[in-house]
Amino acid sequence: MESRKNFSSKIGIVLASAGSAVGLGNVWRFPTEVGNNGGAAFIIIYLLCILIIGVPVMMSEFLIGRHTHANTITAYAKLAPGKWWRIEGVSGVAVAMLILSYYIVISGWTLYYLIQSLSGQLQESRDYKALYDGFVTHPWLPVLAGAAFMCMTHLIIARGVQSGVERFSKVMMPLLLLIIGILVVCSLGMPGSAEGLRFLLQPDFTKLTGRVILSAIGQAFFSLSLAMGCLCTYASYFGPDTKLPKTAMSVSLIDTFVAVLSGFIIFPAVFSVEGVGVDAGPGLVFITLPNVFNMAFAAIPFLGYVFSGLFYLLLLLAALTSAMSLHESVTAYVLERFGIPRKRAAALVSVCCMTLGVACSLSFGVWKHLTVFGLNIFELFDFVAAKIILPLGGIIICLFTGWYLDRKLVHNELTNHGTVPFRLFRVYLFIIRYVAPLAIAAVFVHELIA
Ligand code: PHE
C-alpha cells in the first residue's frame, strides 16, 4: 500500500476543501433556493445557519479526520473500536458513492452545455426547453458526457492528493473566483440589475416560515459538503500545525462568498428579461439561463457568447473540484482497506460509480418509467442520500464528537495540543451537543413529512 502524503501547504488545504464545498450547490442550488424562499430573508437565515451550525460541524469532521489520519470508515473504527459509531464512517463512504453517481450526470450536462456554448450552437438555438428535453432523454449523449466528466475526475484522483487534488485546486479555485468576478460585473451592467439587487438585499421578513428556515439548514449542509466523509477524508491529509477552527472558517467563508456572488450573477440577469420567474426551479441553469443570456445580450451577441461560455466553464470547474472530493473519499477507503495501489483503487471506484451513473443518466430518458415509490433512479439516489443519510449522518457526527469522544482529545485537536488558543471551545461544545443535533433533527423530520 502507498504511504499517505499530506497536503504540502496551508493554502492547498484551504483551496482543496473549499473546492469540495464550492460546487453545483452554490452556483445552481443556492440561487434556486433563494428564488423559492423569498430572497434576502432566506440569505440572512442561511448565513446564520452556516455560522452557528455549519462551521462547528465542519470542525468536528476535520478533527476526526486529522486525529486518525485514515479514511472515514477506519477513522470511526479507530476512535470507537467495536462500537456502532463506525456506521457513520460506512454511511459517509456509501453516500459519497451515491452522490458521485448522480453528480456526474448533472456535471456531464454542464460539460455538454459548455461545448454547445463554445461552438455557438447554444446561441443559435431558440427553443431551450426542446434542446434540454432532447438532450437529457437522448439514449447515449448524456451518458457519454457523464463518462467524459468521470474520466477527468479519475485522472486527477489517480495522481494522488498532493500532485492531483492539491495542484489542481490551486489552479482551478483562483480561476473560478476570477470568472465569478467577471460575471458579476457583466451581470450588474444589465438593465434589470437594480431590481435583482433589491430582491437579494432587501429582506422581507413576512416571508419567513419554518419551511424557509429548514431549507436554509439543508442548503448549508449540502453546500459545505458536510456528513459525506469528504472533509473528514481531506482532513486526514492535514499536517499537525493546521489550525482546524481557522480552516473551517476560511472554507465556509469562501463557500458562502461564492454562493452569494452566484446570486449576484443570476438575479440581475433573470430580472433583466421579462416573463422569466425567479423561482424557475432546477431548469434554471439549463433552460432559463441560456434564454436569459440570449435576450439580455440581444444587441451584442458576442457578449452573450462570452458570458454563457464563462458561466458553464465556472459551473464545470466547481463541479469538478467537488466530484474530486467525493471520489477521494471512496478511493481512500478502497486503497487502504484492500491495500491496492491508488491507480487501481481509483479505477475501481470510477467504474462502479460510472455504472451507477449510467442508470441515473438513463432515468431521464429510456428508463424514465423505472420507478420506486414514484421516484426514478436519479431522484431515488438524491432522496436517499440528501434527505435520509445526510441529515442522520450530521446528527451522528455531532453526538459522536460532543458526547462520545474524550473532551480532552477534542480540545487538543482544535488547539493543536494547546499551542493555539480557541476561546470559543465551550460555545463549540454547546452547539455540537445540543443546538446542531436538534436543528438537524428538525430538518430531517420536516423533509420526510414534506
Ligand atoms: N458541496 C457541494 C456543492 O455545493 C456538493 C458536495 C456534496 C460536494 C458532497 C462534495 C460532497 O455542490
Side-chain angles (χ1 to χ4, degrees), residues 110-171:
T110 310
L111 180 62
Y112 177 80
Y113 270 71
L114 174 64
I115 296 169
Q116 287 287 308
S117 172
L118 293 181
S119 66
Q121 308 265 16
L122 204 59
Q123 280 71 28
E124 275 162 30
S125 163
R126 289 280 167 241
D127 189 349
Y128 292 105
K129 172 105 177 67
L131 180 80
Y132 171 83
D133 287 340
F135 170 62
V136 301
T137 55
H138 194 279
W140 54 264
L141 207 49
V143 175
L144 188 71
F149 180 83
M150 188 51 147
C151 285
M152 289 156 75
T153 314
H154 171 85
L155 290 177
I156 297 172
I157 292 302
R159 297 174 70 111
V161 170
Q162 238 183 48
S163 49
V165 174
E166 183 171 2
R167 223 173 90 205
F168 280 85
S169 302
K170 277 181 172 167
V171 177

Short mmCIF file of all heavy atoms in Angstrom, two decimals, residues 110-171:
data_model
loop_
_atom_site.label_atom_id
_atom_site.label_comp_id
_atom_site.label_asym_id
_atom_site.label_seq_id
_atom_site.Cartn_x
_atom_site.Cartn_y
_atom_site.Cartn_z
N THR A 110 -23.40 19.82 -17.81
CA THR A 110 -22.68 21.10 -17.81
C THR A 110 -21.60 21.08 -18.88
O THR A 110 -21.43 22.06 -19.62
CB THR A 110 -22.04 21.33 -16.43
OG1 THR A 110 -23.04 21.13 -15.44
CG2 THR A 110 -21.49 22.72 -16.31
N LEU A 111 -20.89 19.96 -18.97
CA LEU A 111 -19.84 19.83 -19.98
C LEU A 111 -20.44 19.98 -21.38
O LEU A 111 -19.92 20.70 -22.23
CB LEU A 111 -19.16 18.46 -19.83
CG LEU A 111 -18.05 18.13 -20.80
CD1 LEU A 111 -16.90 19.11 -20.64
CD2 LEU A 111 -17.53 16.71 -20.57
N TYR A 112 -21.58 19.32 -21.59
CA TYR A 112 -22.25 19.39 -22.90
C TYR A 112 -22.66 20.83 -23.21
O TYR A 112 -22.45 21.33 -24.32
CB TYR A 112 -23.46 18.46 -22.88
CG TYR A 112 -24.28 18.50 -24.15
CD1 TYR A 112 -23.88 17.79 -25.27
CD2 TYR A 112 -25.47 19.24 -24.21
CE1 TYR A 112 -24.64 17.82 -26.43
CE2 TYR A 112 -26.24 19.27 -25.36
CZ TYR A 112 -25.82 18.56 -26.47
OH TYR A 112 -26.57 18.59 -27.61
N TYR A 113 -23.24 21.50 -22.22
CA TYR A 113 -23.67 22.88 -22.44
C TYR A 113 -22.48 23.81 -22.68
O TYR A 113 -22.59 24.78 -23.43
CB TYR A 113 -24.54 23.39 -21.28
CG TYR A 113 -26.01 23.11 -21.51
CD1 TYR A 113 -26.51 21.82 -21.44
CD2 TYR A 113 -26.90 24.14 -21.84
CE1 TYR A 113 -27.84 21.55 -21.68
CE2 TYR A 113 -28.25 23.88 -22.09
CZ TYR A 113 -28.70 22.59 -22.00
OH TYR A 113 -30.03 22.32 -22.25
N LEU A 114 -21.35 23.51 -22.03
CA LEU A 114 -20.15 24.32 -22.27
C LEU A 114 -19.72 24.16 -23.73
O LEU A 114 -19.45 25.15 -24.42
CB LEU A 114 -19.01 23.88 -21.33
CG LEU A 114 -17.67 24.55 -21.58
CD1 LEU A 114 -17.75 26.06 -21.32
CD2 LEU A 114 -16.57 23.95 -20.71
N ILE A 115 -19.71 22.91 -24.20
CA ILE A 115 -19.31 22.66 -25.59
C ILE A 115 -20.30 23.33 -26.55
O ILE A 115 -19.91 24.00 -27.51
CB ILE A 115 -19.21 21.15 -25.87
CG1 ILE A 115 -18.10 20.55 -24.99
CG2 ILE A 115 -18.93 20.87 -27.33
CD1 ILE A 115 -18.06 19.03 -24.97
N GLN A 116 -21.58 23.17 -26.25
CA GLN A 116 -22.61 23.80 -27.10
C GLN A 116 -22.43 25.31 -27.14
O GLN A 116 -22.60 25.95 -28.16
CB GLN A 116 -24.00 23.50 -26.51
CG GLN A 116 -24.46 22.08 -26.69
CD GLN A 116 -24.83 21.80 -28.13
OE1 GLN A 116 -25.61 22.53 -28.73
NE2 GLN A 116 -24.25 20.77 -28.70
N SER A 117 -22.10 25.85 -25.97
CA SER A 117 -21.97 27.29 -25.88
C SER A 117 -20.73 27.76 -26.64
O SER A 117 -20.79 28.72 -27.42
CB SER A 117 -21.87 27.65 -24.40
OG SER A 117 -21.58 28.98 -24.25
N LEU A 118 -19.60 27.06 -26.48
CA LEU A 118 -18.37 27.48 -27.15
C LEU A 118 -18.47 27.31 -28.66
O LEU A 118 -17.89 28.08 -29.43
CB LEU A 118 -17.17 26.67 -26.63
CG LEU A 118 -16.80 26.95 -25.16
CD1 LEU A 118 -15.59 26.14 -24.75
CD2 LEU A 118 -16.55 28.44 -24.93
N SER A 119 -19.25 26.29 -29.10
CA SER A 119 -19.36 26.10 -30.55
C SER A 119 -20.43 27.01 -31.17
O SER A 119 -20.66 26.96 -32.36
CB SER A 119 -19.69 24.63 -30.85
OG SER A 119 -20.99 24.36 -30.34
N GLY A 120 -21.06 27.82 -30.32
CA GLY A 120 -22.04 28.78 -30.85
C GLY A 120 -23.43 28.20 -31.05
O GLY A 120 -24.38 28.92 -31.37
N GLN A 121 -23.58 26.90 -30.83
CA GLN A 121 -24.90 26.25 -31.05
C GLN A 121 -25.96 26.78 -30.08
O GLN A 121 -27.12 26.90 -30.42
CB GLN A 121 -24.78 24.73 -30.79
CG GLN A 121 -23.68 24.07 -31.55
CD GLN A 121 -24.20 23.48 -32.84
OE1 GLN A 121 -25.29 23.81 -33.29
NE2 GLN A 121 -23.42 22.61 -33.44
N LEU A 122 -25.49 27.07 -28.85
CA LEU A 122 -26.45 27.49 -27.83
C LEU A 122 -27.07 28.84 -28.19
O LEU A 122 -28.23 29.09 -27.90
CB LEU A 122 -25.72 27.58 -26.48
CG LEU A 122 -26.57 27.45 -25.23
CD1 LEU A 122 -27.29 26.12 -25.22
CD2 LEU A 122 -25.70 27.56 -23.98
N GLN A 123 -26.27 29.68 -28.85
CA GLN A 123 -26.80 30.99 -29.24
C GLN A 123 -27.79 30.85 -30.39
O GLN A 123 -28.76 31.60 -30.46
CB GLN A 123 -25.65 31.93 -29.67
CG GLN A 123 -24.90 32.58 -28.53
CD GLN A 123 -24.03 31.58 -27.77
OE1 GLN A 123 -23.58 30.59 -28.33
NE2 GLN A 123 -23.82 31.83 -26.49
N GLU A 124 -27.52 29.88 -31.26
CA GLU A 124 -28.39 29.73 -32.43
C GLU A 124 -29.74 29.15 -32.07
O GLU A 124 -30.77 29.53 -32.62
CB GLU A 124 -27.73 28.82 -33.46
CG GLU A 124 -26.79 29.59 -34.35
CD GLU A 124 -25.83 28.66 -35.06
OE1 GLU A 124 -26.20 27.50 -35.32
OE2 GLU A 124 -24.70 29.09 -35.33
N SER A 125 -29.70 28.22 -31.11
CA SER A 125 -30.96 27.56 -30.76
C SER A 125 -31.90 28.58 -30.10
O SER A 125 -31.46 29.50 -29.42
CB SER A 125 -30.64 26.43 -29.79
OG SER A 125 -31.79 26.04 -29.14
N ARG A 126 -33.19 28.42 -30.31
CA ARG A 126 -34.12 29.38 -29.70
C ARG A 126 -35.00 28.69 -28.66
O ARG A 126 -35.36 29.27 -27.67
CB ARG A 126 -35.01 30.03 -30.77
CG ARG A 126 -34.28 30.98 -31.65
CD ARG A 126 -34.10 32.35 -30.98
NE ARG A 126 -33.14 33.14 -31.72
CZ ARG A 126 -31.99 33.59 -31.23
NH1 ARG A 126 -31.63 33.33 -30.00
NH2 ARG A 126 -31.18 34.31 -31.96
N ASP A 127 -35.31 27.43 -28.95
CA ASP A 127 -36.22 26.74 -28.04
C ASP A 127 -35.40 25.92 -27.04
O ASP A 127 -35.05 24.77 -27.28
CB ASP A 127 -37.13 25.81 -28.88
CG ASP A 127 -38.23 25.23 -28.02
OD1 ASP A 127 -38.14 25.38 -26.78
OD2 ASP A 127 -39.17 24.63 -28.58
N TYR A 128 -35.10 26.57 -25.91
CA TYR A 128 -34.19 25.92 -24.95
C TYR A 128 -34.83 24.75 -24.22
O TYR A 128 -34.15 23.85 -23.77
CB TYR A 128 -33.64 26.96 -23.97
CG TYR A 128 -32.73 27.91 -24.67
CD1 TYR A 128 -33.15 29.21 -24.98
CD2 TYR A 128 -31.49 27.49 -25.12
CE1 TYR A 128 -32.33 30.07 -25.68
CE2 TYR A 128 -30.66 28.35 -25.83
CZ TYR A 128 -31.08 29.63 -26.11
OH TYR A 128 -30.28 30.45 -26.81
N LYS A 129 -36.14 24.80 -24.12
CA LYS A 129 -36.82 23.68 -23.45
C LYS A 129 -36.69 22.43 -24.32
O LYS A 129 -36.36 21.35 -23.82
CB LYS A 129 -38.30 24.07 -23.24
CG LYS A 129 -39.18 22.97 -22.74
CD LYS A 129 -39.50 23.17 -21.26
CE LYS A 129 -40.45 22.12 -20.72
NZ LYS A 129 -39.90 20.77 -20.69
N ALA A 130 -36.89 22.62 -25.62
CA ALA A 130 -36.79 21.47 -26.53
C ALA A 130 -35.35 20.95 -26.57
O ALA A 130 -35.11 19.74 -26.59
CB ALA A 130 -37.24 21.89 -27.93
N LEU A 131 -34.38 21.89 -26.55
CA LEU A 131 -32.98 21.49 -26.58
C LEU A 131 -32.67 20.64 -25.34
O LEU A 131 -32.04 19.57 -25.42
CB LEU A 131 -32.09 22.74 -26.56
CG LEU A 131 -30.59 22.47 -26.58
CD1 LEU A 131 -30.11 22.15 -27.98
CD2 LEU A 131 -29.79 23.65 -26.03
N TYR A 132 -33.13 21.12 -24.19
CA TYR A 132 -32.88 20.42 -22.92
C TYR A 132 -33.54 19.05 -22.92
O TYR A 132 -32.90 18.03 -22.64
CB TYR A 132 -33.40 21.30 -21.78
CG TYR A 132 -33.41 20.64 -20.42
CD1 TYR A 132 -32.25 20.61 -19.65
CD2 TYR A 132 -34.57 20.07 -19.90
CE1 TYR A 132 -32.25 20.02 -18.39
CE2 TYR A 132 -34.58 19.48 -18.65
CZ TYR A 132 -33.41 19.46 -17.91
OH TYR A 132 -33.42 18.87 -16.67
N ASP A 133 -34.82 19.03 -23.28
CA ASP A 133 -35.55 17.75 -23.28
C ASP A 133 -34.91 16.76 -24.24
O ASP A 133 -34.75 15.58 -23.93
CB ASP A 133 -37.02 17.96 -23.65
CG ASP A 133 -37.78 18.63 -22.52
OD1 ASP A 133 -37.29 18.56 -21.38
OD2 ASP A 133 -38.85 19.23 -22.78
N GLY A 134 -34.56 17.26 -25.43
CA GLY A 134 -33.96 16.39 -26.44
C GLY A 134 -32.65 15.81 -25.94
O GLY A 134 -32.36 14.63 -26.13
N PHE A 135 -31.86 16.63 -25.24
CA PHE A 135 -30.55 16.17 -24.77
C PHE A 135 -30.70 15.17 -23.62
O PHE A 135 -30.14 14.07 -23.67
CB PHE A 135 -29.69 17.36 -24.34
CG PHE A 135 -28.44 16.95 -23.63
CD1 PHE A 135 -27.47 16.19 -24.28
CD2 PHE A 135 -28.21 17.31 -22.31
CE1 PHE A 135 -26.31 15.78 -23.63
CE2 PHE A 135 -27.05 16.90 -21.65
CZ PHE A 135 -26.10 16.14 -22.31
N VAL A 136 -31.44 15.53 -22.58
CA VAL A 136 -31.45 14.64 -21.40
C VAL A 136 -32.15 13.31 -21.66
O VAL A 136 -31.90 12.33 -20.97
CB VAL A 136 -32.03 15.31 -20.13
CG1 VAL A 136 -31.26 16.55 -19.76
CG2 VAL A 136 -33.51 15.59 -20.25
N THR A 137 -33.02 13.27 -22.67
CA THR A 137 -33.69 12.00 -22.95
C THR A 137 -32.97 11.19 -24.04
O THR A 137 -33.35 10.08 -24.36
CB THR A 137 -35.15 12.22 -23.42
OG1 THR A 137 -35.11 13.10 -24.54
CG2 THR A 137 -36.01 12.83 -22.32
N HIS A 138 -31.92 11.78 -24.60
CA HIS A 138 -31.15 11.09 -25.64
C HIS A 138 -30.57 9.79 -25.07
O HIS A 138 -30.10 9.76 -23.94
CB HIS A 138 -30.03 12.02 -26.13
CG HIS A 138 -29.39 11.56 -27.40
ND1 HIS A 138 -28.44 10.58 -27.42
CD2 HIS A 138 -29.59 11.93 -28.68
CE1 HIS A 138 -28.06 10.37 -28.66
NE2 HIS A 138 -28.75 11.17 -29.46
N PRO A 139 -30.58 8.69 -25.86
CA PRO A 139 -30.15 7.40 -25.29
C PRO A 139 -28.68 7.34 -24.89
O PRO A 139 -28.33 6.61 -23.98
CB PRO A 139 -30.48 6.39 -26.39
CG PRO A 139 -30.76 7.18 -27.62
CD PRO A 139 -31.17 8.56 -27.19
N TRP A 140 -27.79 8.03 -25.58
CA TRP A 140 -26.37 7.87 -25.19
C TRP A 140 -25.59 9.18 -25.00
O TRP A 140 -24.57 9.20 -24.34
CB TRP A 140 -25.63 6.96 -26.17
CG TRP A 140 -25.74 7.38 -27.62
CD1 TRP A 140 -26.63 6.89 -28.52
CD2 TRP A 140 -24.97 8.36 -28.31
NE1 TRP A 140 -26.47 7.50 -29.73
CE2 TRP A 140 -25.44 8.40 -29.63
CE3 TRP A 140 -23.93 9.22 -27.95
CZ2 TRP A 140 -24.91 9.27 -30.59
CZ3 TRP A 140 -23.40 10.07 -28.91
CH2 TRP A 140 -23.89 10.09 -30.21
N LEU A 141 -26.07 10.28 -25.53
CA LEU A 141 -25.28 11.52 -25.44
C LEU A 141 -25.00 11.96 -24.00
O LEU A 141 -23.85 12.25 -23.63
CB LEU A 141 -26.01 12.62 -26.23
CG LEU A 141 -25.14 13.73 -26.79
CD1 LEU A 141 -23.94 13.19 -27.55
CD2 LEU A 141 -25.97 14.64 -27.68
N PRO A 142 -26.03 12.00 -23.12
CA PRO A 142 -25.72 12.41 -21.74
C PRO A 142 -24.83 11.40 -21.02
O PRO A 142 -24.04 11.79 -20.16
CB PRO A 142 -27.10 12.50 -21.06
CG PRO A 142 -28.10 12.09 -22.04
CD PRO A 142 -27.46 11.79 -23.35
N VAL A 143 -24.96 10.12 -21.39
CA VAL A 143 -24.11 9.10 -20.77
C VAL A 143 -22.65 9.35 -21.15
O VAL A 143 -21.73 9.32 -20.32
CB VAL A 143 -24.53 7.68 -21.22
CG1 VAL A 143 -23.57 6.62 -20.68
CG2 VAL A 143 -25.95 7.37 -20.75
N LEU A 144 -22.46 9.67 -22.43
CA LEU A 144 -21.11 9.97 -22.92
C LEU A 144 -20.54 11.20 -22.21
O LEU A 144 -19.37 11.21 -21.78
CB LEU A 144 -21.19 10.22 -24.43
CG LEU A 144 -19.86 10.35 -25.14
CD1 LEU A 144 -19.17 8.99 -25.20
CD2 LEU A 144 -20.05 10.90 -26.56
N ALA A 145 -21.37 12.23 -22.05
CA ALA A 145 -20.91 13.45 -21.39
C ALA A 145 -20.53 13.15 -19.94
O ALA A 145 -19.50 13.61 -19.44
CB ALA A 145 -22.00 14.53 -21.46
N GLY A 146 -21.36 12.35 -19.26
CA GLY A 146 -21.08 11.97 -17.87
C GLY A 146 -19.78 11.17 -17.79
O GLY A 146 -18.96 11.38 -16.90
N ALA A 147 -19.58 10.27 -18.77
CA ALA A 147 -18.37 9.44 -18.76
C ALA A 147 -17.13 10.32 -18.97
O ALA A 147 -16.09 10.12 -18.34
CB ALA A 147 -18.45 8.38 -19.85
N ALA A 148 -17.25 11.32 -19.85
CA ALA A 148 -16.11 12.21 -20.08
C ALA A 148 -15.77 12.96 -18.79
O ALA A 148 -14.60 13.11 -18.42
CB ALA A 148 -16.45 13.21 -21.19
N PHE A 149 -16.80 13.40 -18.09
CA PHE A 149 -16.56 14.11 -16.83
C PHE A 149 -15.92 13.17 -15.80
O PHE A 149 -14.99 13.55 -15.08
CB PHE A 149 -17.88 14.66 -16.28
CG PHE A 149 -17.71 15.41 -14.99
CD1 PHE A 149 -17.32 16.74 -14.98
CD2 PHE A 149 -17.91 14.77 -13.78
CE1 PHE A 149 -17.13 17.41 -13.79
CE2 PHE A 149 -17.72 15.44 -12.58
CZ PHE A 149 -17.33 16.76 -12.59
N MET A 150 -16.41 11.93 -15.77
CA MET A 150 -15.85 10.96 -14.83
C MET A 150 -14.37 10.72 -15.12
O MET A 150 -13.55 10.60 -14.20
CB MET A 150 -16.64 9.65 -14.94
CG MET A 150 -16.30 8.64 -13.89
SD MET A 150 -16.37 9.39 -12.26
CE MET A 150 -16.89 8.06 -11.29
N CYS A 151 -14.01 10.66 -16.42
CA CYS A 151 -12.60 10.46 -16.78
C CYS A 151 -11.74 11.60 -16.24
O CYS A 151 -10.64 11.38 -15.72
CB CYS A 151 -12.43 10.41 -18.30
SG CYS A 151 -13.00 8.86 -18.98
N MET A 152 -12.26 12.83 -16.36
CA MET A 152 -11.49 13.98 -15.87
C MET A 152 -11.24 13.83 -14.37
O MET A 152 -10.12 14.00 -13.87
CB MET A 152 -12.26 15.29 -16.14
CG MET A 152 -12.30 15.68 -17.61
SD MET A 152 -13.70 16.74 -18.02
CE MET A 152 -13.26 18.25 -17.37
N THR A 153 -12.30 13.50 -13.64
CA THR A 153 -12.17 13.35 -12.19
C THR A 153 -11.19 12.22 -11.87
O THR A 153 -10.32 12.35 -11.01
CB THR A 153 -13.55 13.00 -11.58
OG1 THR A 153 -14.52 13.86 -12.13
CG2 THR A 153 -13.54 13.13 -10.07
N HIS A 154 -11.35 11.12 -12.59
CA HIS A 154 -10.50 9.95 -12.34
C HIS A 154 -9.02 10.28 -12.51
O HIS A 154 -8.18 9.93 -11.68
CB HIS A 154 -10.89 8.82 -13.30
CG HIS A 154 -9.95 7.67 -13.26
ND1 HIS A 154 -10.07 6.67 -12.33
CD2 HIS A 154 -8.83 7.40 -13.97
CE1 HIS A 154 -9.07 5.82 -12.48
NE2 HIS A 154 -8.31 6.23 -13.47
N LEU A 155 -8.70 10.99 -13.61
CA LEU A 155 -7.29 11.27 -13.89
C LEU A 155 -6.66 12.11 -12.78
O LEU A 155 -5.49 11.92 -12.43
CB LEU A 155 -7.17 12.00 -15.24
CG LEU A 155 -7.49 11.10 -16.44
CD1 LEU A 155 -7.43 11.88 -17.74
CD2 LEU A 155 -6.51 9.92 -16.50
N ILE A 156 -7.44 13.01 -12.19
CA ILE A 156 -6.89 13.85 -11.11
C ILE A 156 -6.69 13.01 -9.84
O ILE A 156 -5.64 13.05 -9.21
CB ILE A 156 -7.83 15.04 -10.83
CG1 ILE A 156 -7.90 15.93 -12.07
CG2 ILE A 156 -7.32 15.84 -9.63
CD1 ILE A 156 -8.92 17.02 -12.00
N ILE A 157 -7.70 12.22 -9.49
CA ILE A 157 -7.62 11.43 -8.25
C ILE A 157 -6.52 10.36 -8.34
O ILE A 157 -5.82 10.09 -7.38
CB ILE A 157 -8.99 10.79 -7.94
CG1 ILE A 157 -9.99 11.88 -7.57
CG2 ILE A 157 -8.89 9.77 -6.81
CD1 ILE A 157 -9.59 12.73 -6.38
N ALA A 158 -6.35 9.78 -9.55
CA ALA A 158 -5.33 8.74 -9.70
C ALA A 158 -3.93 9.28 -9.44
O ALA A 158 -3.02 8.56 -9.08
CB ALA A 158 -5.41 8.14 -11.10
N ARG A 159 -3.76 10.60 -9.59
CA ARG A 159 -2.43 11.19 -9.35
C ARG A 159 -2.13 11.38 -7.87
O ARG A 159 -1.01 11.69 -7.50
CB ARG A 159 -2.35 12.56 -10.03
CG ARG A 159 -2.49 12.51 -11.52
CD ARG A 159 -2.55 13.91 -12.06
NE ARG A 159 -1.25 14.54 -11.92
CZ ARG A 159 -0.47 14.85 -12.93
NH1 ARG A 159 -0.87 14.61 -14.15
NH2 ARG A 159 0.69 15.41 -12.74
N GLY A 160 -3.13 11.28 -7.04
CA GLY A 160 -2.88 11.40 -5.60
C GLY A 160 -3.30 12.74 -5.06
O GLY A 160 -3.76 13.61 -5.80
N VAL A 161 -3.12 12.90 -3.74
CA VAL A 161 -3.63 14.09 -3.09
C VAL A 161 -2.77 15.31 -3.39
O VAL A 161 -3.27 16.38 -3.71
CB VAL A 161 -3.73 13.85 -1.57
CG1 VAL A 161 -4.02 15.12 -0.82
CG2 VAL A 161 -4.84 12.84 -1.31
N GLN A 162 -1.43 15.11 -3.31
CA GLN A 162 -0.58 16.28 -3.50
C GLN A 162 -0.49 16.72 -4.95
O GLN A 162 -0.74 17.88 -5.28
CB GLN A 162 0.82 15.95 -2.99
CG GLN A 162 1.27 16.89 -1.92
CD GLN A 162 2.68 16.57 -1.49
OE1 GLN A 162 3.58 16.41 -2.31
NE2 GLN A 162 2.87 16.48 -0.19
N SER A 163 -0.15 15.79 -5.84
CA SER A 163 0.04 16.22 -7.23
C SER A 163 -1.27 16.21 -8.02
O SER A 163 -1.32 16.72 -9.12
CB SER A 163 1.10 15.38 -7.92
OG SER A 163 0.84 14.03 -7.72
N GLY A 164 -2.33 15.64 -7.45
CA GLY A 164 -3.62 15.69 -8.12
C GLY A 164 -4.50 16.75 -7.51
O GLY A 164 -4.59 17.88 -8.00
N VAL A 165 -5.13 16.40 -6.38
CA VAL A 165 -6.13 17.28 -5.76
C VAL A 165 -5.56 18.67 -5.45
O VAL A 165 -6.12 19.69 -5.85
CB VAL A 165 -6.66 16.64 -4.45
CG1 VAL A 165 -7.57 17.60 -3.72
CG2 VAL A 165 -7.37 15.34 -4.74
N GLU A 166 -4.41 18.70 -4.75
CA GLU A 166 -3.88 19.99 -4.32
C GLU A 166 -3.46 20.86 -5.49
O GLU A 166 -3.82 22.03 -5.58
CB GLU A 166 -2.70 19.77 -3.37
CG GLU A 166 -2.16 21.08 -2.82
CD GLU A 166 -1.13 20.87 -1.71
OE1 GLU A 166 -0.81 19.71 -1.40
OE2 GLU A 166 -0.65 21.88 -1.18
N ARG A 167 -2.73 20.25 -6.43
CA ARG A 167 -2.23 21.03 -7.55
C ARG A 167 -3.38 21.60 -8.39
O ARG A 167 -3.37 22.77 -8.77
CB ARG A 167 -1.34 20.14 -8.42
CG ARG A 167 -0.10 20.88 -8.85
CD ARG A 167 0.88 20.01 -9.54
NE ARG A 167 0.64 20.00 -10.97
CZ ARG A 167 1.01 18.99 -11.74
NH1 ARG A 167 1.59 17.94 -11.23
NH2 ARG A 167 0.78 19.04 -13.02
N PHE A 168 -4.37 20.76 -8.66
CA PHE A 168 -5.49 21.23 -9.49
C PHE A 168 -6.34 22.26 -8.76
O PHE A 168 -6.81 23.22 -9.36
CB PHE A 168 -6.32 20.04 -9.97
CG PHE A 168 -5.68 19.36 -11.14
CD1 PHE A 168 -4.71 18.41 -10.96
CD2 PHE A 168 -6.00 19.73 -12.44
CE1 PHE A 168 -4.08 17.80 -12.03
CE2 PHE A 168 -5.37 19.13 -13.53
CZ PHE A 168 -4.41 18.16 -13.33
N SER A 169 -6.53 22.05 -7.46
CA SER A 169 -7.35 23.02 -6.71
C SER A 169 -6.68 24.39 -6.72
O SER A 169 -7.33 25.42 -6.80
CB SER A 169 -7.53 22.58 -5.26
OG SER A 169 -8.13 21.33 -5.22
N LYS A 170 -5.33 24.38 -6.64
CA LYS A 170 -4.62 25.66 -6.61
C LYS A 170 -4.77 26.43 -7.91
O LYS A 170 -4.65 27.64 -7.95
CB LYS A 170 -3.13 25.43 -6.33
CG LYS A 170 -2.82 25.28 -4.85
CD LYS A 170 -1.32 25.07 -4.75
CE LYS A 170 -0.80 25.10 -3.35
NZ LYS A 170 0.59 24.60 -3.32
N VAL A 171 -4.99 25.72 -9.00
CA VAL A 171 -5.19 26.39 -10.28
C VAL A 171 -6.68 26.72 -10.48
O VAL A 171 -7.04 27.83 -10.85
CB VAL A 171 -4.72 25.49 -11.45
CG1 VAL A 171 -5.00 26.16 -12.79
CG2 VAL A 171 -3.25 25.16 -11.30
#
